[in-house]
Amino acid sequence: MADKYQIPFINACIRAFAKRFGMPVRVGFQYLYNFKGVKFLVDFYPTLHLQSIDDAVDDLIVICKNNGGFLE
């Protein structure tokens, strides 16, 4: 990881995702992990960190849905 802010950003995105759907952070992480959301955050961090957390959460919803997720 080249950027010292990558882990805090990913953590903030996971927490915001879980909060949006009213689930514990651990459950939110597991959902994102299972449906490739965490991989998306890591792979596209250089672009995502330039957007708001809310935009990143919106993107996560689409990514997870495209990978079999069911939350909307």
Side-chain angles (χ1 to χ4, degrees), residues 40-66:
F40 171 75
L41 289 172
V42 172
D43 291 348
F44 292 96
Y45 169 76
T47 303
L48 289 173
H49 85 280
L50 300 174
Q51 303 174 3
S52 71
I53 299 289
D54 288 332
D55 287 342
V57 171
D58 292 340
D59 292 343
L60 284 169
I61 293 166
V62 172
I63 293 298
C64 290
K65 186 176 178 184
N66 289 343

Side-chain angles (χ1 to χ4, degrees), residues 20-55:
R20 182 176 294 185
F21 290 102
M23 62 179 68
V25 174
R26 183 174 43 119
V27 174
F29 170 79
Q30 194 62 50
Y31 177 88
L32 291 172
Y33 183 81
N34 289 340
F35 296 109
K36 310 287 190 256
V38 174
K39 181 175 178 359
F40 171 75
L41 289 172
V42 172
D43 291 348
F44 292 96
Y45 169 76
T47 303
L48 289 173
H49 85 280
L50 300 174
Q51 303 174 3
S52 71
I53 299 289
D54 288 332
D55 287 342

